[in-house]
Amino acid sequence: MNVGILGLGLIGGSLARAYALEGHTVYAIQRNEAMLSFAMLAGAVHGKLDEETIPKCDLILLAIYPDGSASWLEKNAHLISKDALVLDCCGVKQEICNRCFPVAAQYGFTFVGGHPMAGSQFSGFKYSRANLFDGAPMVLVPPVFDDIALLQRVKDALKPCHFGLFSVTTAEEHDKMIAFTSQMPHILSNAFIKSPTALKHKGFSAGSYKDLTRVAWLNPQMWAELFLENRDNVLFELDYYIESLKQYQQAIRDKDMDKLVELLDEGKKRKEEVDG
């Protein structure tokens, strides 16, 4: 299989490594030419993704920011084979699906929205690894939901990644859920670490601190774009969280033991509920 990859960051680089490891030919495009050369030396990429190689690709994976991915597809759609499958790997789905579904229909190839639920607090090709997606969930947003053959085609195309679970949803539902499960934790972690007390934490912190602050180490440009593209859903979650925090704040300020126990017990029970 000939695989084209747009972007060689953590996700794109890991995709490249996974496909190359299983003997597929990988073409890639990366703004940083030195990084592209390094990926070639590492054996993860076999050539450039350009006007000559795009038509050869059976599978194209878009692994840069949503606007950049959609813009690249719009610009190069005329080069893509009608037999090709194109998936994006972006963190939000509505904009890219709204832009790419019509392009795919116009030029005759197949586009499916995708979001690999795997990552790291570190970014860039140097942190990529072939097993990043082993056992991880993969969310799919297909153009239609009753095409079993298409879903099987996508699963077969992604076999080298060894995903553990596939979920199928709409772009709207995806973005609602991802605001809660991914984007909010990054905001909360990033805001929490700004406390002046954080500078003195060594020797006083353990697992809870490490878990809470891990994703504060993020790619600011990428996450800012994702937050703004999913603005309404993120604001809904932020507003709800802020109102909830105010209840804890008020109970502690008032020294209201009963209310504080009630709030903590509600959170404990909700955790038990959502985790089964």
Side-chain angles (χ1 to χ4, degrees), residues 21 40 107 131 141 149 151 154 158 166 191 195 236 246 265:
L21 184 64
M40 290 182 179
Y107 288 93
N131 65 351
V141 180
L151 295 177
V154 173
L158 293 173
F166 288 89
S195 167
F236 171 82
K246 287 179 179 178
D265 192 51

Side-chain angles (χ1 to χ4, degrees), residues 185-194 212 215-218:
H186 282 80
I187 292 174
L188 304 183
S189 179
N190 196 265
F192 174 78
I193 201 65
K194 293 177 183 177
L212 182 57
V215 293
W217 195 333
L218 46 67

Side-chain angles (χ1 to χ4, degrees), residues 28-48:
I29 183 171
Q30 168 67 27
R31 183 170 54 185
N32 185 332
E33 287 288 331
M35 187 59 67
L36 179 59
S37 298
F38 180 76
M40 290 182 179
L41 288 172
V45 175
H46 305 100
K48 290 184 178 181

Side-chain angles (χ1 to χ4, degrees), residues 101 110-112 140-151 168-169:
F101 283 147
T110 302
F111 174 83
V112 175
L140 300 175
V141 180
V144 293
F145 285 84
D146 57 353
D147 192 338
I148 303 302
L150 172 59
L151 295 177
V168 179
T169 188

